[in-house]
């Protein structure tokens, strides 16, 4: 047998992923776009319900308060998504609640001045106002770094090699929200996982009217089937004598959202009262804003590939971060209970459906706003057991992580230097946050435990985030370890032309502002 030729065993690096039906600026038919937008809305519900369900009871809030926070988070998320897709990076990214803010928010909730309040409802309102004040102040970090172009300047130190662990851990770093949650109700989670893989991969060539319906709407179909199955188990009494934890994770009637939701309610600024401001709370929250910035940077770069676009130039990336800062400011004004970031699961869904259309995401933002106002209807969809979402996360988070690994094609992975940087940053990016998590779980507080609460919150928040740890390690090593003669190995010649807006002719197609606004804000 003849030896294979080099071109038969190697693949040329590609600026844009192939095989997408619709890229960032091409659109499916209106009917298909609306269905796809609704699918993105359903996926965004998982985090939008889970974060308030975690925080509101600890704050002293009732089910009514939880529903209002969920509605507010979805409403503001819809506004932020529209702003980001119109005036920010213009990438097809959903903006939703972020778990990065949980550490400083829990510190605020446990503040002695708030814990002394005996009335639960009063404590909830005072806690919410303190969180609002901290979000409003800390949003200035992203606004300044974005609109001053400082983050764009910082991004010049990023190479494809340095971004690999960051983007990869945007997905891999969320492993605890995947199968560990599925395992809490395997009779629902495992069938959902199998069904989603079957529809999206093995049956993807099934078509109706030339539309790959099972691949395109795998999430919507699988969620409908498993949700009906879960409701059947609940109604038949399958969980009647099961432990409380099992019932909370498996039953479809434990969310208490539908009964508590009003028919119509429009969230508005300062609905919880005037925000209160504390320097210590704000400084701790700034760490979460930095984490959100880094995680979003990785997610934007993943979204650009899954939308079959070129990597966003430094100017566009900074513009997106600036608008994300305004989004966190809106979170503080409206009182969402947490800050916002790019929804990683929705980025993964772009790859699963092979539709990276910006219009689809804008339609999903419309659904987020519409159903947050019509409370009963929104609460119906939000009552889907979180185990179902966790099963989908197992696929979508992994897909985003693999996009990060795909950047290795632009680097020389026969270099021991590159192998060292990639392996160490990936390992420490997973291992250090795991240490912080286990320490906190056993000791009741993070490893940083000094007399200065703001300092503790800052360090614990930073090192709880896998992408943030990966960026610190990878970018430091990449720019200090034999960096002078390794530009080609790091992938810099490929990366350099995407640093500026005018460096590649395709940037104008993907990232130009609408309504001819580039006349007033010329790209650099």
């Amino acid at each position: 047998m003849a030896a294979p030729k080099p071109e038969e065993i190697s693949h040329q690096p590609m600026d844009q992923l192939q095989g997408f039906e619709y890229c960032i600026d091409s659109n499916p038919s209106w009917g298909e776009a609306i269905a796809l937008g609704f699918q993105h809305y359903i996926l965004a519900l998982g985090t939008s319900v889970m974060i308030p369900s975690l925080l509101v009871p600890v704050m002293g809030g009732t089910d009514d308060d939880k529903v209002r926070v969920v509605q507010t988070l979805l409403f503001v998320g819809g506004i932020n998504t529209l702003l980001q897709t119109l005036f920010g990076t213009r990438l097809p990214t959903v903006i939703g609640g972020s778990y990065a803010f949980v550490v400083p928010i829990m510190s605020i909730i446990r503040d002695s001045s708030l814990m002394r309040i005996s009335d639960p409802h009063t404590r909830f309102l005072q806690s919410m106002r303190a969180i609002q004040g901290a979000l409003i102040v800390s949003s200035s970090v992203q606004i300044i770094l974005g609109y001053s172009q400082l983050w764009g300047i910082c991004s010049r130190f990023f190479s494809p090699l340095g971004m690999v662990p960051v983007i990869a851990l945007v997905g891999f770093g969320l492993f605890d929200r995947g199968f560990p949650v599925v395992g809490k109700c395997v009779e629902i989670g495992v069938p959902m996982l199998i069904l989603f893989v079957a529809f999206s991969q093995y049956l993807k060539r099934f078509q109706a009217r030339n539309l790959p319906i099972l691949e395109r709407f795998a999430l919507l179909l699988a969620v409908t089937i498993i949700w009906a199955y879960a409701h059947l188990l609940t109604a038949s009494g399958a969980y009647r004598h099961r432990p409380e934890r099992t019932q909370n994770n498996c039953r479809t009637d434990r969310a208490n959202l539908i009964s508590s939701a009003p028919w119509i309610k429009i969230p508005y600024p300062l609905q919880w009262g005037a925000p209160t401001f504390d320097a210590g709370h704000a400084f701790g929250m700034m760490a979460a804003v930095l984490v959100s910035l880094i995680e979003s940077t990785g997610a934007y770069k993943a979204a650009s590939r899954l939308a079959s676009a070129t990597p966003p130039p430094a100017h566009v990336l900074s513009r997106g971060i600036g608008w994300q800062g305004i989004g966190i400011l809106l979170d503080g004004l409206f009182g969402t209970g947490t800050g916002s970031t790019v929804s990683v699961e929705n980025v993964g869904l772009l790859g699963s459906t092979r539709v990276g259309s910006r219009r689809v995401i804008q339609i999903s933002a419309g659904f987020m706003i519409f159903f947050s106002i019509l409370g009963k209807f929104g609460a119906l969809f939000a009552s889907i057991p979180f185990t179902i979402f966790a099963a989908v996360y197992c696929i979508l988070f992994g897909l985003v992580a693999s996009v990060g690994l795909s950047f290795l094609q632009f680097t020389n992975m026969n270099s021991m230097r590159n192998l060292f940087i990639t392996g160490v940053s990936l390992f420490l990016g997973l291992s250090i946050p795991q240490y912080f998590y286990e320490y906190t779980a056993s000791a009741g507080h993070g490893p940083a435990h000094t007399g200065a609460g703001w300092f503790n919150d800052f360090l614990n928040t930073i090192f709880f985030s896998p992408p943030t740890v990966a960026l610190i390690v990878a970018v430091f090593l990449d720019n200090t370890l034999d960096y002078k003669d390794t530009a080609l190995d790091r992938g810099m010649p490929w990366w350099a032309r995407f640093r500026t807006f005018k460096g590649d002719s395709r940037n104008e197609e993907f990232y130009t502002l609408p309504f001819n606004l580039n006349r007033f804000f010329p790209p650099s």
Side-chain angles (χ1 to χ4, degrees):
M1 182 177 178
K5 299 177 181 178
E7 59 268 21
E8 295 175 340
I9 60 174
S10 62
H11 304 275
Q12 291 298 317
M14 303 188 74
D15 295 343
Q16 299 166 263
L17 287 179
Q18 304 299 299
F20 275 72
E21 293 288 332
Y22 302 97
C23 66
I24 185 172
D25 55 354
S26 60
N27 302 308
S29 66
W30 278 106
E32 187 179 350
I34 290 171
L36 287 165
F38 184 72
Q39 188 168 237
H40 275 277
Y41 159 73
I42 290 293
L43 184 60
L45 285 173
T47 300
S48 299
V49 173
M50 197 62 187
I51 293 178
S53 298
L54 172 68
L55 296 176
V56 171
V58 184
M59 297 161 65
T62 62
D63 287 337
D64 291 344
D65 296 323
K66 181 175 73 173
V67 166
R68 285 188 63 191
V69 174
V70 170
Q71 287 180 278
T72 304
L73 186 55
L74 280 170
F75 183 81
V76 177
I79 294 174
N80 287 338
T81 300
L82 284 176
L83 291 174
Q84 190 63 240
T85 55
L86 285 171
F87 309 115
T89 61
R90 307 215 69 215
L91 288 166
T93 50
V94 171
I95 307 298
S98 170
Y99 284 93
F101 292 82
V102 170
V103 172
I105 287 173
M106 289 299 292
S107 180
I108 293 173
I109 294 171
R110 291 169 178 162
D111 190 288
S112 57
S113 62
L114 295 171
M115 293 298 289
R116 285 196 295 267
I117 301 174
S118 57
D119 179 57
H121 186 65
T122 303
R123 180 158 55 88
F124 167 76
L125 291 177
Q126 293 298 327
S127 299
M128 182 62 78
R129 292 169 187 171
I131 294 168
Q132 286 182 258
L135 286 171
I136 290 171
V137 174
S138 61
S139 67
S140 62
V141 173
Q142 284 196 10
I143 292 174
I144 293 171
L145 287 175
Y147 291 123
S148 68
Q149 295 295 311
L150 281 173
W151 189 242
I153 294 171
C154 292
S155 69
R156 295 179 185 276
F157 293 96
F158 304 162
S159 69
L161 180 70
M163 283 291 98
V164 166
V166 179
I167 304 171
L169 291 190
V170 165
F172 286 146
L174 299 171
F175 67 90
D176 59 321
R177 280 165 234 164
F179 206 84
V181 180
V182 172
K184 294 179 180 178
C185 188
V186 291
E187 57 267 41
I188 293 175
V190 171
M192 178 66 200
L193 179 60
I194 294 172
L195 203 60
F196 184 66
V197 172
F199 284 168
S200 65
Q201 302 301 318
Y202 289 96
L203 301 176
K204 63 183 179 182
R205 288 182 173 80
F206 175 82
Q207 294 191 352
R209 296 184 178 179
N210 295 321
L211 176 67
I213 193 165
L214 291 182
E215 178 191 41
R216 199 64 50 82
F217 304 107
L219 174 69
L220 209 54
L221 293 170
V223 166
T224 302
I225 293 170
I226 300 300
W227 189 19
Y229 166 63
H231 186 71
L232 182 64
L233 290 177
T234 301
S236 65
Y239 303 112
R240 192 168 299 153
H241 304 295
R242 302 289 294 277
E244 187 70 16
R245 180 182 174 185
T246 302
Q247 295 197 39
N248 289 335
N249 286 287
C250 298
R251 294 180 68 104
T252 58
D253 57 359
R254 281 302 178 95
N256 296 328
L257 293 175
I258 300 175
S259 59
S260 302
W263 281 103
I264 297 177
K265 181 72 175 180
I266 302 177
Y268 55 91
L270 308 183
Q271 58 186 331
W272 312 107
T276 58
F277 299 92
D278 180 275
H281 295 165
F283 195 82
M285 196 71 79
M286 286 179 185
V289 171
L290 287 173
V291 168
S292 168
L293 181 153
I294 292 169
E295 292 178 350
S296 294
T297 298
Y300 285 137
K301 293 186 181 297
S304 68
R305 284 192 69 74
L306 290 175
S308 199
T310 53
H315 168 81
V316 172
L317 185 61
S318 285
R319 190 174 71 195
I321 293 302
W323 277 105
Q324 191 167 299
I326 290 178
I328 295 174
L329 176 63
L330 292 177
D331 290 330
L333 290 173
F334 278 82
T336 60
T338 186
S340 55
T341 191
V342 176
S343 172
V344 179
E345 53 268 33
N346 288 90
V347 172
L349 190 58
L350 299 177
S352 176
T353 59
R354 293 192 298 124
V355 176
S357 169
R358 183 189 296 122
R359 177 184 290 175
V360 167
I361 300 302
Q362 291 170 340
I363 291 172
S364 76
F367 278 117
M368 293 167 74
I369 295 171
F370 179 76
F371 283 116
S372 65
I373 294 174
L374 294 180
K376 291 288 186 185
F377 293 101
L380 173 65
F381 299 118
S383 64
I384 299 171
F386 189 70
T387 306
I388 292 178
F389 292 109
V392 179
Y393 293 167
C394 293
I395 308 301
L396 301 184
F397 289 162
L399 187 54
V400 172
S402 67
V403 171
L405 297 178
S406 76
F407 276 81
L408 290 172
Q409 69 185 298
F410 307 110
T411 68
N412 177 15
M413 291 313 290
N414 291 314
S415 163
M416 279 305 303
R417 172 193 181 275
N418 289 2
L419 290 173
F420 177 85
I421 293 172
T422 304
V424 170
S425 55
L426 280 170
F427 185 84
L428 290 181
L430 286 170
S431 189
I432 291 177
Q434 184 66 19
Y435 163 72
F436 271 69
Y437 173 79
E438 291 180 1
Y439 190 105
T440 303
S442 61
H445 57 78
H449 188 57
T450 66
W454 58 268
F455 179 76
N456 301 335
D457 292 343
F458 194 90
L459 283 185
N460 290 330
T461 301
I462 290 292
F463 289 105
F464 250 104
S465 166
T468 305
V469 174
L471 182 134
I472 293 171
V473 176
V475 173
F476 175 78
L477 291 175
D478 192 35
N479 287 278
T480 59
L481 188 62
D482 297 331
Y483 67 94
K484 288 186 178 180
D485 302 315
T486 55
L488 184 61
D489 286 351
R490 299 163 64 199
M492 295 305 289
W494 172 80
W495 191 263
R497 72 180 191 273
F498 300 119
R499 284 180 171 179
T500 60
F501 191 87
K502 296 179 181 179
D504 191 287
S505 59
R506 292 168 291 183
N507 290 335
E508 185 173 354
E509 175 188 357
F510 300 138
Y511 300 115
T512 298
L513 290 172
F515 316 123
N516 210 16
L517 289 174
N518 273 44
R519 290 186 305 168
F520 307 103
F521 306 100
S524 56

